[in-house]
Amino acid sequence: MKLRLTLFILIIWQPLAFTQGWKRLESIKLNNPAHQISIDRQGNIYVSSLNGAIDKYDSNGELQAHYSPTKKSTPRIIDAWQGLRVFAFYKDFQEYSFFNRFLGESERYTFGNQQVTSNLSLSTIATDNNIWALDAQQLSLKKIDINSNEAISETNLNLILKNNTHDFTYIREYQNLVFISDSKNGILVFDNIGNYLETLPLFNISFFSFKDSSLISIQNGKVIYFDIYTKQKKEVSLPDPSYTFVLMENKRVFLFKKETLDIFELN
């Protein structure tokens, strides 16, 4: 009887332990509503809005830099993981741009070679400083040489996708692997020259990030950790189910609503 009572207490206590692990450090009202986000290796946070503005915050939530665009357009992807520069992809204009750590913008570059790219839905920076481009019209993943604008590699996705319908939502290179989320098929994984490796069983994910070997996302009021090597999955209940984005660096967790950034320490 005593053993049964102990097991019952443990079962009831386990979910509560996850909730009590959250320690709020800061709550910041964002300079502009969050549409896309990214983090660099130093823990700086980058937030882009629908009007094209980009704001940089340090790991304490202090505003460090602001970019106000002269050409109004919404970044579809921002990627700051390289640290020295921030990549932004503008789907509407089929352009990309780089920013320095002060959010000074270089000129915008176009995917001008129509024989190489026709209608890009997603794009991001590769570790070798070339560009990954997901061509929705030709249904292919291409690595584009940043100097010549020619395709270095191309992978046809028709034979990979198990579901006839697809909805590509996000792309990111991490640890020499390329990850593309497709809400219908899962997260497609490729090596650093575009060879298809596998599909992770993670569906309906619009944004993901990484912490060590875990791919991290938010679903149904929980943070989902999925180890990209062991394939182990862990779920942690959020302190508030209305959060939409999550980033992690060291022991800090950055949780976003549309207009706020809450910084936690997860014990």
Side-chain angles (χ1 to χ4, degrees):
M1 182 66 182
K2 184 176 180 180
L3 177 59
R4 289 180 181 177
L5 181 60
T6 302
L7 289 173
F8 176 78
I9 292 173
L10 286 174
I11 292 171
I12 296 299
W13 181 253
Q14 186 71 11
L16 295 178
F18 287 138
T19 303
Q20 291 180 343
W22 297 95
K23 178 184 176 182
R24 190 196 302 265
L25 303 178
E26 297 286 348
S27 185
I28 295 98
K29 180 173 174 55
L30 294 171
N31 200 34
N32 290 284
H35 177 66
Q36 290 293 328
I37 62 171
S38 187
I39 189 169
D40 66 23
R41 297 172 190 266
Q42 288 72 46
N44 296 303
I45 306 296
Y46 300 79
V47 181
S48 70
S49 64
L50 283 171
N51 65 12
I54 301 177
D55 295 304
K56 176 183 178 180
Y57 299 86
D58 67 15
S59 59
N60 296 313
E62 295 288 335
L63 183 65
Q64 299 295 299
H66 170 77
Y67 166 74
S68 182
T70 55
K71 182 179 181 180
K72 298 297 182 182
S73 53
T74 303
R76 178 63 183 83
I77 297 283
I78 58 171
D79 191 342
W81 187 244
Q82 277 195 343
L84 295 177
R85 57 181 182 171
V86 180
F87 172 88
F89 168 61
Y90 299 88
K91 179 182 177 182
D92 291 346
F93 293 101
Q94 296 289 285
E95 296 175 341
Y96 64 92
S97 185
F98 293 104
F99 299 84
N100 62 28
R101 60 192 181 97
F102 304 108
L103 293 184
E105 185 183 19
S106 68
E107 65 178 292
R108 290 201 185 180
Y109 305 92
T110 61
F111 294 94
N113 190 337
Q114 296 301 314
Q115 293 181 342
V116 176
T117 58
S118 54
N119 183 20
L120 302 183
S121 58
L122 297 173
S123 181
T124 194
I125 187 73
T127 303
D128 61 7
N129 292 317
N130 289 303
I131 304 292
W132 289 109
L134 181 63
D135 193 318
Q137 185 168 316
Q138 298 181 11
L139 206 58
S140 63
L141 173 65
K142 301 175 182 180
K143 180 180 264 193
I144 309 298
D145 186 288
I146 201 169
N147 296 311
S148 68
N149 213 22
E150 297 290 336
I152 302 170
S153 66
E154 180 174 358
T155 303
N156 192 316
L157 303 183
N158 280 306
L159 301 178
I160 296 172
L161 301 174
K162 295 180 180 179
N163 195 320
N164 290 331
T165 60
H166 52 79
D167 178 24
F168 300 115
T169 57
Y170 196 67
I171 184 171
R172 170 84 187 275
E173 180 172 334
Y174 183 73
Q175 295 187 357
N176 289 318
L177 297 171
V178 183
F179 299 82
I180 299 175
S181 56
D182 176 357
S183 61
K184 307 295 184 182
N185 290 276
I187 295 185
L188 311 178
V189 185
F190 304 81
D191 66 18
N192 61 359
I193 57 174
N195 294 313
Y196 171 73
L197 299 177
E198 62 181 330
T199 299
L200 305 180
L202 299 168
F203 304 93
N204 300 311
I205 293 176
S206 59
F207 174 85
F208 57 85
S209 55
F210 294 92
K211 176 67 170 70
D212 300 327
S213 63
S214 290
L215 184 149
I216 303 165
S217 61
I218 286 180
Q219 273 193 320
N220 302 320
K222 297 178 181 179
V223 177
I224 310 298
Y225 298 77
F226 189 93
D227 192 294
I228 60 177
Y229 300 113
T230 68
K231 308 302 184 287
Q232 291 184 333
K233 185 178 180 181
K234 174 185 174 183
E235 299 181 356
V236 178
S237 296
L238 286 165
D240 182 339
S242 63
Y243 290 115
T244 55
F245 293 113
V246 59
L247 297 171
M248 294 186 182
E249 181 64 19
N250 295 323
K251 293 184 178 181
R252 293 201 167 185
V253 184
F254 306 92
L255 292 172
F256 293 80
K257 297 178 185 178
K258 185 176 182 180
E259 297 184 347
T260 59
L261 163 60
D262 291 336
I263 304 174
F264 289 86
E265 193 173 83
L266 186 56
N267 299 322

